[in-house]
Amino acid sequence: MIWDDHQNRCIGELMFKSEVKAVRLRRDRVVVVLQNKVYVYRFSDLKLLDQINTTPNARGLVCLSPDAAHTVLACPGLAKGSIRVELYDIKKATLIKAHDSELAQIALNCDGSRIASASDKGTLIRVWDSLSGEPLRELRRGMDRAEIYCLSFSPTTSHLACSSDKGTIHVFSLSQPPTPTTATTVMRATNRPIEDSPPPPPPTAELDTGSGSGSAGNLRSGLAFVKGILPPSLVPRYFDSEWSFAQVRGLEGKSICAFDYDSPRIIILTSTGAFMTVSFENGGECKRLSYSKFIDTPTTGPEDVPEPWGAAKEERSASTVHRLSTGSSGMETRAEMTNEREDSAPMNKDNMTAHDNKL
């Protein structure tokens, strides 16, 4: 259902024969994700523009570039751990073998030129070139398995944030180019999955210094110096991993995050109703700037701020209907279908009926 807040009424509806896993919307596109298929519609009249078959996609993974000048869509491919990137402006599709295990999260930057991915192991995050499919960076969240909740690029692609079920958010710097021995060279050296490598030594304070506000470099392994001593074939690949330079810890429940547009700040929302803003300008533990609690719990009142924040896991409820709010638009169509089996495509334009009231 697409809802126009200005007119306070529904201006379009798409119904499917199986559960809707996710929806993405921008001014000219509506993207709907089912278990094994992604549908792309034109926003103005809900005309079906594309449909993409995927591997079983229970998480509803999909991302759409927000920049109106670039139409880029990414979703799981047909093979486990693969990503399909559709560059509609140049009519090109890129297939990326991102991980050996199932995808957990993917994210595009603003213009769609970069894509980040994490597997269900949750130890590594990889950054890719959307056009060529080449690996650009390999970032290490930690040594233990974790469920990745969110990946988010900053508006200028200078930073990447990752939230997980460890109750943490890690912030990585992308402002400095990777060294020649990082992801591209490392990942081509052998076919052994990097996620299966032994746990790396803990990071040290060795930084790749960036420039500008909030652009401190990522941490490196304390044993990275052996790269200049031993032959490359004898150096474990995790010595090249980059660790986050800033962290938020002690979050409750599942969390998502986004960067402020013009300052080194992150906005965080959790499933327990917490809304907060933190600064990563100085690296290390992020400084909390604001905190609000919008959902009362049995142990905390509306004004209580839990100290410390624990790491509690909650289950997300699945929904077959996604409601989207937009401003005024020229759309005046309604597509209707029955709610039955999965494999049938949405009803086409010939079966769409117009609303009685005109916009």
Side-chain angles (χ1 to χ4, degrees):
M1 178 182 296
I2 302 177
W3 186 265
D4 191 321
D5 277 342
H6 181 70
Q7 302 181 69
N8 196 32
R9 70 183 183 94
C10 173
I11 59 173
E13 184 174 325
L14 292 166
M15 298 185 68
F16 299 87
K17 296 182 179 180
S18 65
E19 181 182 0
V20 175
K21 300 295 184 180
V23 173
R24 296 294 181 269
L25 174 69
R26 71 179 209 178
R27 291 182 180 274
D28 59 346
R29 294 290 185 271
V30 179
V31 178
V32 181
V33 183
L34 305 184
Q35 176 74 8
N36 293 96
K37 189 164 287 191
V38 174
Y39 293 100
V40 182
Y41 299 90
R42 187 163 56 201
F43 182 84
S44 59
D45 57 3
L46 292 185
K47 178 183 178 181
L48 181 63
L49 300 178
D50 194 10
Q51 47 186 312
I52 305 168
N53 293 319
T54 69
T55 189
N57 187 9
R59 291 184 172 97
L61 299 182
V62 71
C63 42
L64 183 65
S65 60
D67 188 352
H70 303 85
T71 304
V72 182
L73 180 143
C75 62
L78 290 173
K80 181 175 69 173
S82 67
I83 304 172
R84 181 185 180 98
V85 183
E86 292 287 344
L87 300 104
Y88 289 107
D89 298 323
I90 60 175
K91 298 180 180 180
K92 180 181 186 297
T94 303
L95 298 178
I96 301 172
K97 183 65 176 74
H99 300 272
D100 293 313
S101 54
E102 297 289 348
L103 293 173
Q105 288 293 333
I106 55 176
L108 284 169
N109 67 343
C110 187
D111 63 7
S113 62
R114 299 288 182 267
I115 182 168
S117 65
S119 74
D120 58 5
K121 294 184 179 180
T123 55
L124 293 176
I125 301 162
R126 291 173 179 156
V127 181
W128 310 84
D129 183 286
S130 298
L131 179 62
S132 66
E134 290 294 313
L136 301 177
R137 291 190 108 107
E138 185 172 275
L139 311 171
R140 184 170 287 276
R141 182 210 56 81
M143 297 182 289
D144 301 328
R145 287 186 77 108
E147 181 181 356
I148 304 299
Y149 293 147
C150 173
L151 294 174
S152 178
F153 283 97
S154 65
T156 58
T157 318
S158 60
H159 295 89
L160 176 71
C162 163
S163 68
S164 73
D165 65 351
K166 299 297 184 180
T168 60
I169 291 178
H170 291 268
V171 184
F172 301 90
S173 173
L174 304 179
S175 57
Q176 289 292 97
T179 59
T181 54
T182 53
T184 302
T185 303
V186 169
M187 292 167 62
R188 289 175 175 175
T190 175
N191 292 325
R192 185 165 59 95
I194 296 180
E195 288 96 339
D196 293 335
S197 300
T204 68
E206 180 185 348
L207 297 178
D208 296 325
T209 306
S211 60
S213 177
S215 60
N218 297 323
L219 297 169
R220 295 279 186 171
S221 168
L223 298 178
F225 69 91
V226 301
K227 293 184 296 182
I229 301 174
L230 299 176
S233 59
L234 299 180
V235 179
R237 291 170 297 167
Y238 52 71
F239 286 173
D240 283 314
S241 294
E242 299 179 56
W243 298 68
S244 62
F245 77 94
Q247 305 84 31
V248 181
R249 304 184 189 280
L251 298 174
E252 289 186 331
K254 296 187 176 183
S255 60
I256 58 175
C257 60
F259 287 89
D260 190 15
Y261 183 76
D262 56 1
S263 66
R265 298 180 179 181
I266 294 179
I267 301 165
I268 305 168
L269 181 65
T270 73
S271 60
T272 61
F275 180 87
M276 65 198 79
T277 305
V278 301
S279 171
F280 61 88
E281 183 172 12
N282 298 321
E285 193 74 19
C286 293
K287 179 182 178 181
R288 189 170 69 190
L289 303 178
S290 66
Y291 180 94
S292 299
K293 185 80 169 179
F294 293 103
I295 299 177
D296 294 343
T297 64
T299 58
T300 61
E303 302 300 327
D304 293 332
V305 178
E307 292 287 356
W309 299 322
K313 296 185 68 174
E314 296 180 4
E315 293 295 330
R316 284 179 291 188
S317 59
S319 174
T320 60
V321 179
H322 291 249
R323 191 175 180 113
L324 303 170
S325 297
T326 69
S328 177
S329 72
M331 182 169 58
E332 192 179 344
T333 56
R334 183 183 182 92
E336 297 184 357
M337 298 183 63
T338 58
N339 188 16
E340 298 174 0
R341 296 180 55 190
E342 172 185 343
D343 295 329
S344 298
M347 189 164 287
N348 58 32
K349 186 176 179 182
D350 295 332
N351 294 322
M352 300 168 66
T353 60
H355 281 294
D356 294 331
N357 298 325
K358 294 185 177 179
L359 301 179

